[in-house]
Amino acid sequence: MAKIVRLEPIAQESSVQTNSNLLSVLLNKDLDVLKECGGRGMCATCHIYVQQGMEALTPINRREQRTLEIITSCRQNSRLACQARVQAEGVVVELPPGMYVNSLQDIEDLIGRRADQDLLHPITGETLVEAGKLITRSTLRQLEDTSSFKVGEYFRQTTDY
């Protein structure tokens, strides 16, 4: 049976089958979600906030909890859209403001311009450049360490699956 999920601040609703994850809702709305880990709950690029209906979602599992711990913008109502499965009505999701950086090339192309919206780190969700601020070469340096960062290896070292 289908459930309705509301997306804020874009004020849109989407229908999703019971036990489908919130990531499918985001992708159905053509939202820019990187899903770098392929929906395994390890990269945080589908991080969202649940404004209402946390009890209508499946509980947070251990892997999701570990990933949420590394997100600098994590709150009590944070979830990974790929891990949160809709069980009942009443879910309202708040999308984090900003856009995740897809690659170093994306930043190189924007150096010297002002960010239209917050640019977010692809793994931690940390704001690299705030909306309206100048994009500089230092932003590239913040990401260079990430290019060799292996999400799966990090989690194998920090948890025992």
Side-chain angles (χ1 to χ4, degrees), residues 107-127:
I107 294 296
E108 274 184 9
D109 294 343
L110 296 173
I111 290 174
R113 300 166 94 186
R114 296 201 179 276
D116 292 335
Q117 57 185 319
D118 288 353
L119 296 179
L120 308 175
H121 192 282
I123 295 174
T124 65
E126 176 182 353
T127 301

Side-chain angles (χ1 to χ4, degrees), residues 130-149:
E130 293 177 15
K133 300 285 181 170
L134 194 63
I135 300 168
T136 63
R137 291 215 174 271
S138 64
T139 308
L140 278 177
R141 285 191 286 279
Q142 290 176 299
L143 285 169
E144 285 172 347
D145 293 337
T146 304
S147 63
S148 64
F149 186 77

Side-chain angles (χ1 to χ4, degrees), residues 5-159:
V5 174
R6 183 162 177 82
L7 301 174
E8 294 294 346
I10 62 174
Q12 291 185 11
E13 290 186 346
S14 185
S15 177
V16 63
Q17 289 298 314
T18 301
N19 211 34
S20 291
N21 63 28
L22 289 173
L23 181 58
S24 64
V25 173
L26 302 180
L27 296 175
N28 286 341
K29 288 295 182 179
D30 293 326
L31 298 173
D32 187 23
V33 180
L34 293 182
K35 59 192 180 317
E36 287 295 307
C37 70
R40 294 188 315 243
M42 296 169 35
C43 72
T45 58
C46 66
H47 172 237
I48 49 95
Y49 302 110
V50 179
Q51 286 184 339
Q52 293 175 358
M54 188 70 90
E55 67 286 345
L57 301 171
T58 54
I60 295 175
N61 63 36
R62 187 173 172 175
R63 177 176 288 170
E64 181 180 6
Q65 183 60 46
R66 290 297 232 171
T67 302
L68 289 172
E69 288 171 1
I70 67 167
I71 301 173
T72 58
S73 57
C74 188
R75 301 181 200 154
Q76 286 284 60
N77 63 336
S78 287
R79 289 297 304 263
L80 299 179
C82 68
Q83 299 298 300
R85 296 191 173 279
V86 180
Q87 302 292 302
E89 293 286 348
V91 177
V92 178
V93 170
E94 176 188 345
L95 305 171
M99 178 185 84
Y100 282 102
V101 172
N102 289 307
S103 69
L104 292 175
Q105 185 63 46
D106 288 349
I107 294 296
E108 274 184 9
D109 294 343
L110 296 173
I111 290 174
R113 300 166 94 186
R114 296 201 179 276
D116 292 335
Q117 57 185 319
D118 288 353
L119 296 179
L120 308 175
H121 192 282
I123 295 174
T124 65
E126 176 182 353
T127 301
L128 295 169
V129 180
E130 293 177 15
K133 300 285 181 170
L134 194 63
I135 300 168
T136 63
R137 291 215 174 271
S138 64
T139 308
L140 278 177
R141 285 191 286 279
Q142 290 176 299
L143 285 169
E144 285 172 347
D145 293 337
T146 304
S147 63
S148 64
F149 186 77
K150 304 282 190 257
V151 176
E153 287 178 23
Y154 171 80
F155 283 101
R156 277 193 291 283
Q157 293 169 4
T158 59
T159 62

